[in-house]
Structure formats: C-alpha cells, structure tokens
Amino acid sequence: VAKYLYDSGIAKKPVLRIETKSGVKECSVMTMCGKAYRITVDMGAAELAPALVPVKLDGDSVINKPVVIDGHEYYITCVSMGNPHGVIFLDEPVETFDLTKYGPALECHPAFPKKVNIEFVNVLSEKRLRMRVWERGSGVTLACGTGSCAALVAANLCGLAGREAEIELDGGTLLDRWDERTGRVLMTGPAAFVFNGEYEA
C-alpha cells in the first residue's frame, strides 16, 4: 500500500502513516529512480502478557513452554503483534517439517481461545532465521510480516538471536529489529509492482 501511494503520487512523502485494524503503521519509504523499492514499517510493540496474546498458559509470559500435539512435545513462545503468534524452534529443517499436520493442530489447540498463527523456525545464526508459517484460517503461506516480527522477538527472548536479524521466508527475506528502548518492532523489506487491472462491479 505504501509503495502504491508513493509511486502513484497520491502521497509522495518519505514517511506515510496508514491506519489498519491493528493500529496506525508508520511506513518509511526508500526510493530508487523515483520509485519506492524498500519500506520500513513500524509494526508496533510486541505484547507478551498471556491475556493480550491471548493464550491460556500459566505465567506472566509464555516463553519456551511445552505443548503436546499428537504425542509430540514442542516448546512454544507466544507473542502478539496485533494478532496472536506461537513460535516454535526446530532442530530439523523447516523445509521438510510437516506444517500441514502440526500447523492446524496447534492453530486450534485449546490454549488459544482465538486460534493462533504458528511460526516454525530454524536458527541459522544469531543474525539470520529461517521461518515457515501456518496462518490461522489460511494454512501455509509464503510469508507473514507479523509472524517474522514474532519470530525475532521469540528468538531474542530464548537467547537464540540478537535484537536484529534477517528472517528468511518462502516468499523472500525481511530485516527485522526489536527496538530495546521502545519495545517496537521495525520490519524492512522489498516492495515490487506486480500487475494492475480493472474491476467491473
């Protein structure tokens, strides 16, 4: 949306504020040859309180807590980025992990009263994560911006990454930073024109 507004001349500003259902997102536009090609979005503060995620597990936060699915125990870290996320770090490659088996079971786990997006993550280094996502109501998708932010926060809380890392998704790579002073997550990624069309009512 920020690229469209900028490139079309509707709002030719270096910083755009776009209202969404999860609050106003501030988008900083980087340009090349007069066109937006990269955008940094202030995704808001990461919420960890179980009532705000929401998740029905004990404690002031849910960091690396066990859940059992189909006889397998997984350790989950729960974060809200305006929508609920559960992040699971895997030893096996996410490319071969069966998201279609465990994703739906975790999405509808009784611990999540509003269901949950599940991020399955490999830690490649403290500055690079590999993530695949099962999105609630959608299934496996190529990318999830709020999910990448949740993955970074969870990796930091679990001592697996710093406060800035590249998140490698099936659909591309994002650079996320969890600001220590504000608690807000800044997400930077490419924006590309794909096609336009006309809709007839």
Side-chain angles (χ1 to χ4, degrees):
V1 172
K3 176 176 173 61
Y4 172 76
L5 292 172
Y6 188 92
D7 289 358
S8 65
I10 293 170
K12 201 103 176 161
K13 299 177 181 178
V15 178
L16 301 171
R17 301 180 79 241
I18 299 172
E19 186 176 344
T20 75
K21 285 186 177 180
S22 61
V24 175
K25 305 301 182 193
E26 188 172 279
C27 305
S28 300
V29 179
M30 288 161 265
T31 63
M32 181 182 292
C33 302
K35 300 287 187 183
Y37 81 102
R38 217 166 154 75
I39 313 287
T40 296
V41 184
D42 181 341
M43 299 292 285
E47 298 285 0
L48 303 175
L52 297 177
V53 174
V55 54
K56 293 181 177 179
L57 292 174
D58 294 335
D60 295 332
S61 59
V62 177
I63 300 172
N64 216 28
K65 296 267 181 86
V67 291
V68 177
I69 294 293
D70 196 26
H72 293 270
E73 186 175 67
Y74 293 101
Y75 287 83
I76 196 164
T77 298
C78 297
V79 180
S80 173
M81 290 301 307
N83 55 352
H85 293 275
V87 182
I88 294 174
F89 297 100
L90 299 174
D91 291 326
E92 65 183 282
V94 293
E95 284 81 7
T96 56
F97 183 78
D98 192 353
L99 269 68
T100 59
K101 179 179 181 180
Y102 295 104
L106 284 159
E107 175 192 355
C108 300
H109 191 282
F112 301 103
K114 294 187 177 180
K115 299 188 178 180
V116 68
N117 303 289
I118 299 291
E119 286 75 38
F120 299 95
V121 181
N122 292 145
V123 178
L124 305 180
S125 75
E126 65 174 16
K127 291 189 174 293
R128 192 166 182 90
L129 308 176
R130 171 70 174 104
M131 179 189 115
R132 297 189 71 207
V133 60
W134 177 274
E135 292 200 57
R136 60 176 180 169
S138 298
V140 178
T141 60
L142 292 176
C144 178
T146 54
S148 77
C149 296
L152 172 67
V153 170
N156 182 266
L157 292 171
C158 293
L160 302 171
R163 285 187 166 263
E164 181 173 284
E166 289 184 319
I167 319 293
E168 182 185 318
L169 306 120
D170 288 348
T173 300
L174 297 167
L175 175 64
D176 292 353
R177 179 169 64 87
W178 187 20
D179 188 272
E180 189 169 6
R181 183 179 60 84
T182 65
R184 302 175 79 81
V185 185
L186 303 176
M187 179 184 75
T188 301
F193 174 80
V194 180
F195 68 89
N196 62 4
E198 293 182 6
Y199 173 76
E200 294 183 5

